[in-house]
Amino acid sequence: MKPHILAVDQGTSSTKALLVDGAGDVVARASAPLSQTHPGPGLVEQDALALLDGVHATVSTCLRAAGPCTVTGVALSTQRESVVLWDSVTGLPVAPLVSWQDQRGGERAARLAAEGAGEEIRRRTGLPLDPMFSALKMAALLDEHDPSRTRSRAGRLRLGTVDAFLLHALTGDAVTEMGNASRTQLLSLSTGDWDEDLLRVFDIPRAALSRVVSSTGPFGRITNLPPLASGTPVLAVMGDSHAALFAHAGRREGIVKATYGTGSSVMTVTGSPSPSDSLCTTIAWSTPDGTTFAHEANIRSSGRTITWLAELLDTTPQSLIDLAARSGAGDITLVPAFGGLGAPWWDARAVPVLIGFDLGTDRRSLARAALESVAFQVRDVLAELPGLDEVVADGGLTRSDALMQLQADVADVTVARARHHELSAAGAAHLAGLGAGLWTAAELEERADANRQVFTPAWDEPHRQAAVARWHRGLEAARALGSG
Ligand SMILES: Nc1ncnc2c1ncn2[C@@H]1O[C@H](COP(=O)(O)OP(=O)(O)OP(=O)(O)O)[C@@H](O)[C@H]1O
Ligand SMILES: [Mg+2]
């Protein structure tokens, strides 16, 4: 029987599974939604066992849909920065997952910044001191569940990103992948391993963390993911955003990708890991060919803005996006600074604002403002990349033609959308299949180039400038209100 790769992408809003055949085609797919809770201001949590259940459910549905086949190996991509605290003996979580969107580390971040630690942390990790990254969440979890650090120091409690939690649950191994680890703010970019000084600064015992390995492992074998045969090897693990870049054939410098998921990420490979003022520097992936670095800009709320408004208006994201698509450009500006603003502003104090509405404002204009907020936020990041004329796009929201066209219009760039939106799973599958000899890098590049749909800018310059100026007035209000 022909070989296949089973790829699982554990995202913030859902888990997706893809079965990819030796030609690189998706032969079966499944997904399961994952909810989040907001137990207090700035707090965002998920149920770690529900997350694991979603992985089991999607794998089972996907493999049953495919029928009998040979799975050569498993590939995993995961939401990043979110943290699970679990018991290393029972494997059971001892607290809800703390989401990347969660702000509970804000106070400690402010304290470290006041002590002047921010610059050195950024130099070592490539990341600004911000509660989005895992270290501050880990410290907050330990403060609550192991204030003396006794159980974590003894290795009884384990802290990890979603990849580490899933690898422990599915293979029994205590390992984490380097790209994911580079988003914790505890990893040294120069050594690719935990940084002892940073562990001290954030008060995280090394014994509580898993061993860092490259994106191609070595990982263990699956022991518990029916109906997948026990003993199937895990061949590749990547951060979701990194995997999407890989699937766009973004191993070449100069390719810039934008992922439109719960949040958004604009990312490009860089030859040198030198820190940048407005962009994060991250380990994209580490393979037998070496370690690849990337520059990345993170936007906190893109798809999440759509789901938030859809819930509020008692409708579905799909209906809301359809409504927005039927509405012309409005006068309403929505700045979704839920938990502050990420790149390029990194303003944790900014607050959400809605400007320009009146008694005639209807659902349609609100929907339009929400969709526009996604395109404008990505536009502000793209504007930091001089000379850019094309961006490749993926993620759940790229199913919206209206968003893709709007992005091209407001950013004045060509937007090339991937053939399917689940590129995070595809990228992890691509890396796994490279190692297993299913395809070559040249074949992957050729397929990526051939499989894009292009949206070209249609607005004239005055129209674009007026729209961007309106957006920036909204941004100024969001930041001014937050700083007051
Ligand atoms: N029918 C649809 N058309 C377009 N967009 C949609 C549709 N249904 C849901 N969405 C949007 O897709 C988003 C989820 O995208 P995706 O599945 O890529 O995110 P995720 O992988 O769970 O999150 P992340 O990658 O940020 O961790 C939702 O937030 C929603 O706004
Ligand atoms: Mg995703």
Side-chain angles (χ1 to χ4, degrees):
M1 271 196 283
K2 287 195 219 141
H4 294 75
I5 300 289
L6 174 69
V8 177
D9 171 37
Q10 200 307 296
T12 314
S13 308
S14 69
T15 300
K16 300 123 193 145
L18 298 183
L19 190 67
V20 181
D21 70 12
D25 290 323
V26 177
V27 294
R29 47 166 45 90
S31 74
L34 183 65
S35 61
Q36 41 186 265
T37 54
H38 305 274
L43 304 183
V44 186
E45 297 181 346
Q46 297 191 298
D47 179 340
L49 284 182
L51 182 154
L52 185 57
D53 284 348
V55 170
H56 280 276
T58 50
V59 166
S60 165
T61 309
C62 186
L63 288 181
R64 287 184 208 286
C69 68
T70 306
V71 177
T72 307
V74 172
L76 191 60
S77 80
T78 49
Q79 57 166 304
R80 304 167 303 158
E81 297 121 17
S82 304
V83 176
V84 184
L85 177 67
W86 72 95
D87 183 312
S88 64
V89 176
T90 66
L92 292 174
V94 301
L97 170 150
V98 179
S99 170
W100 56 270
Q101 303 160 91
D102 187 283
Q103 297 286 309
R104 75 188 61 187
E107 225 170 85
R108 189 184 291 257
R111 206 163 60 236
L112 288 172
E115 290 166 9
E119 201 174 310
E120 183 60 15
I121 290 172
R122 183 168 195 138
R123 195 186 65 74
R124 291 185 190 217
T125 66
L127 309 172
L129 184 56
D130 187 276
M132 186 172 93
F133 303 107
S134 318
L136 290 160
K137 302 177 199 300
M138 290 177 169
L141 271 169
L142 288 186
D143 285 351
E144 190 178 344
H145 296 278
D146 187 27
S148 66
R149 306 299 195 255
T150 312
R151 286 183 299 152
S152 42
R153 209 167 277 128
R156 178 66 199 249
L157 285 183
R158 179 137 328 128
L159 275 167
T161 41
V162 169
D163 61 308
F165 174 63
L166 289 179
L167 286 168
H168 186 230
L170 301 176
T171 70
D173 281 0
V175 294
T176 189
E177 182 266 335
M178 200 184 292
N180 272 288
S182 80
R183 305 295 293 183
T184 60
Q185 203 150 52
L186 294 172
L187 193 92
S188 156
L189 282 183
S190 55
T191 66
D193 203 355
W194 305 123
D195 181 310
E196 293 296 343
D197 294 331
L198 293 177
L199 294 176
R200 227 179 351 264
V201 165
F202 288 104
D203 200 8
I204 312 290
R206 190 182 179 117
L209 299 173
S210 304
R211 189 165 48 84
V212 181
V213 297
S214 88
S215 313
T216 46
F219 301 108
R221 292 174 179 270
I222 296 288
T223 56
N224 173 25
L225 194 55
L228 188 67
S230 278
T232 308
V234 176
L235 298 178
V237 178
M238 304 179 92
D240 53 5
S241 190
H242 313 203
L245 181 62
F246 197 83
H248 282 297
R251 279 158 294 143
R252 272 181 282 146
E253 274 186 68
I255 292 185
V256 176
K257 73 92 192 179
T259 298
Y260 300 80
T262 310
S264 272
S265 144
V266 175
M267 197 172 192
T268 187
V269 157
T270 174
S272 83
S274 55
S276 140
D277 278 347
S278 57
L279 301 170
C280 297
T281 307
T282 293
I283 292 177
W285 47 78
S286 170
T287 70
D289 295 334
T291 298
T292 300
F293 296 91
H295 278 148
E296 180 177 26
N298 298 97
I299 291 157
R300 292 180 204 275
S301 189
S302 53
R304 185 69 187 107
T305 313
I306 307 293
T307 54
W308 164 76
L309 189 61
E311 280 161 25
L312 202 68
L313 299 179
D314 205 15
T315 183
T316 62
Q318 171 81 63
S319 312
L320 199 74
I321 290 165
D322 290 347
L323 259 187
R326 289 202 299 277
S327 167
D331 295 328
I332 299 189
T333 305
L334 169 63
V335 182
F338 302 112
L341 289 166
W345 316 107
W346 290 107
D347 184 347
R349 295 197 296 179
V351 294
V353 297
L354 182 68
I355 298 175
F357 56 99
D358 60 24
L359 291 172
T361 297
D362 56 10
R363 300 159 76 87
R364 207 197 302 205
S365 27
L366 287 178
R368 175 78 189 186
L371 199 65
E372 283 185 355
S373 76
V374 178
F376 280 126
Q377 288 185 101
V378 172
R379 180 257 165 223
D380 283 346
V381 167
L382 297 180
E384 301 272 310
L385 307 170
L388 182 75
D389 51 21
E390 183 184 84
V391 63
V392 291
D394 66 278
L397 267 179
T398 61
R399 279 171 284 180
S400 165
D401 286 5
L403 175 64
M404 295 293 91
Q405 186 57 50
L406 192 60
Q407 188 66 81
D409 291 339
V410 301
D412 196 21
V413 295
T414 299
V415 178
R417 170 171 66 186
R419 182 172 55 119
H420 64 81
H421 61 272
E422 298 130 322
L423 276 213
S424 293
H430 289 175
L431 181 59
L434 271 179
L438 264 59
W439 39 68
T440 64
E443 282 164 353
L444 290 176
E445 227 162 89
E446 212 172 284
R447 281 180 74 93
D449 286 341
N451 278 320
R452 296 197 182 109
Q453 184 186 357
V454 166
F455 296 79
T456 49
W459 286 0
D460 60 33
E461 198 51 34
H463 186 169
R464 181 167 28 253
Q465 279 182 11
V468 172
R470 171 170 62 82
W471 164 250
H472 282 164
R473 282 195 297 278
L475 262 180
E476 276 162 29
R479 302 189 66 189
L481 278 171
S483 68

